[in-house]
Amino acid sequence: VQLQASGGGLVQAGGSLRLSCAASGITFSVYAMNWYRLAPGKQRELVAAIGSGGSTDYADSVKDRFTISRDNARNTVFLQMNSLKPEDTAVYYCNAHRHALNPKYDMDYWGKGTQVTVSS
């Protein structure tokens, strides 16, 4: 299983970036796909989630600025990030999660992360 995240970079405050995460080795369509971020000195934060059926959820800190989407034909999940702020600076990680009836059988896969840096 491989999750390859890309699209990070350096951007000025107010700018935009689009992250992509291409998955292989899993039946992509049945997995919920999530974007997490980890900033220095902070706890890991769930930024955005999209279910296998397409339902979405966002952290309050990114609502109305970030949009998560998925393309099951391309086994890819996207995170469109607009109106970026310096506090969005972090390493962004892609996660594939599959729920099981018994939680001990839940499946989780992680990508290596992509750095997003927003300058003020």
Side-chain angles (χ1 to χ4, degrees), residues 59-73:
D60 287 343
S61 58
V62 306
K63 274 181 183 175
D64 301 322
R65 298 190 298 122
F66 290 11
T67 302
I68 188 170
S69 61
R70 65 189 298 158
D71 184 340
N72 289 342

Side-chain angles (χ1 to χ4, degrees), residues 34 36 42 44-45 57 94-96 106:
N34 307 303
Y36 286 82
K42 295 186 178 180
R44 186 179 66 187
E45 178 184 20
D57 197 14
C94 173
N95 163 256
D106 284 356

Side-chain angles (χ1 to χ4, degrees), residues 10-37:
L10 173 63
V11 64
Q12 288 190 329
S16 298
L17 284 173
R18 188 191 195 208
L19 305 184
S20 299
C21 174
S24 59
I26 58 172
T27 305
F28 181 80
S29 61
V30 303
Y31 279 77
M33 298 300 298
N34 307 303
W35 286 99
Y36 286 82
R37 67 186 179 188

